[in-house]
Amino acid sequence: TVAGVGSVVDTTTATLKAVVDQQRIEELPLNGRNAAQLMRLIAGVTNDPNAGVTSGTTYPGTNPVSVNGNRSNTTNYILDGAQNNDIYSNAPNPLPNPDALQEFSVQTNNFSAEFGRQSGGIVNAVTRSGTNGYHGSLFEYVRNNALNAANFFSPIVNGAKLTDGLKRNQFGGTWGGPATIPKIYNGKDRTFFFFSYQGTLTRRSPITNSIVVPTAAQRTGDFSGLLPKTIRDPLTNAPYPGNIIPANQFNLISMYIINNAL
């Protein structure tokens, strides 16, 4: 009988580390099933959206984080022992889907020199492997505005609140077991395989944009239709009589743009 119990305190090293295990990866809610979001469960790790590690060459959905106040591009990402950083911006490359991840650890301080490369933090992820038995799973996650409650602050159109325009289906499966080739090799207790696939279909309603087009009267400086709102001179802060701007204060360049672009 082999039994293993995780130690609460590691007394053999001064490294500050926390592990996000498979149970939390699979059961905690993830927007878009991006397991990298779970790094923020670790003390000292915060989201850093203005880090400058995203660019036109970086894949969408990057989750840059700051570890103990360090810059986001000082975090080193490792996947199954190999570097998993975007070489252009040092942002994290995509992690496997949650069903393909075994666990990952986040080291925030005093980590060993064996990792090297960066000084901010170490994210070390491990993928799942097969076992002596064949195991598989199927999944599908659906996000659809027909299933969502309307936001309290959503605008009301035709007597009903506008709902989220995002429709997303994420589906796939896993399959793993011993690598067995009849009459040649039996991989029991030695070699295993594991396969995982995830597909994503996204449909999004276009974002509604609105612009204000000046009326014919407003193009001549007549804003009397806005009363009782008052138009003021930006130089003296004095109100314009009748909300009418004198023609001698018109900017010729602006007038050309209004008359030729609208």
Side-chain angles (χ1 to χ4, degrees):
T1 300
V2 178
V5 179
S7 59
V8 179
V9 178
D10 188 352
T11 59
T12 62
T13 176
T15 301
L16 297 181
K17 178 179 68 174
V19 176
V20 179
D21 56 29
Q22 185 180 359
Q23 182 179 6
R24 287 196 286 178
I25 291 175
E26 292 183 349
E27 296 182 1
L28 289 177
L30 288 173
N31 184 12
R33 285 175 54 80
N34 187 349
Q37 299 173 2
L38 298 177
M39 290 187 294
R40 287 173 286 179
L41 295 174
I42 310 304
V45 179
T46 59
N47 189 35
D48 194 4
N50 301 316
V53 298
T54 58
S55 68
T57 63
T58 306
Y59 74 96
T62 298
N63 286 276
V65 296
S66 172
V67 179
N68 290 335
N70 288 281
R71 293 175 60 91
S72 295
N73 58 5
T74 61
T75 302
N76 189 20
Y77 297 87
I78 302 173
L79 179 63
D80 287 337
Q83 297 296 330
N84 194 40
N85 295 72
D86 185 316
I87 61 174
Y88 180 84
S89 62
N90 210 46
N93 281 328
L95 287 175
N97 69 75
D99 286 72
L101 272 179
Q102 179 67 31
E103 63 182 23
F104 67 88
S105 66
V106 181
Q107 303 181 41
T108 59
N109 203 353
N110 295 336
F111 38 83
S112 171
E114 66 177 299
F115 297 104
R117 197 170 188 272
Q118 299 295 339
S119 59
I122 304 294
V123 180
N124 197 350
V126 180
T127 57
R128 296 175 62 181
S129 69
T131 63
N132 282 329
Y134 292 100
H135 299 280
S137 64
L138 295 174
F139 62 85
E140 181 171 7
Y141 293 85
V142 179
R143 176 169 175 174
N144 192 296
N145 54 11
L147 306 175
N148 296 342
N151 188 296
F152 179 82
F153 299 100
S154 296
I156 298 177
V157 178
N158 297 328
K161 285 189 175 183
L162 291 179
T163 57
D164 185 2
L166 175 62
K167 298 180 179 180
R168 182 172 59 206
N169 294 72
Q170 293 180 290
F171 53 89
T174 63
W175 180 250
T180 303
I181 303 177
K183 299 182 181 180
I184 299 177
Y185 179 72
N186 185 350
K188 186 176 182 180
D189 296 328
R190 297 179 178 86
T191 308
F192 312 95
F193 73 90
F194 185 83
F195 170 82
S196 175
Y197 169 79
Q198 174 179 287
T200 301
L201 298 177
T202 302
R203 290 87 67 207
R204 185 187 299 271
S205 301
I207 299 175
T208 302
N209 293 323
S210 61
I211 60 175
V212 177
V213 179
T215 65
Q218 290 173 348
R219 294 189 185 190
T220 64
D222 185 357
F223 289 86
S224 58
L226 298 181
L227 291 172
K229 293 183 179 179
T230 303
I231 303 298
R232 295 180 177 273
D233 189 327
L235 299 178
T236 64
N237 200 35
Y240 287 113
N243 269 6
I244 299 177
I245 303 175
N248 60 3
Q249 293 190 8
F250 291 173
N251 183 285
L252 297 180
I253 298 177
S254 298
M255 289 300 302
Y256 178 84
I257 295 175
I258 289 176
N259 293 328
N260 291 275
L262 298 176

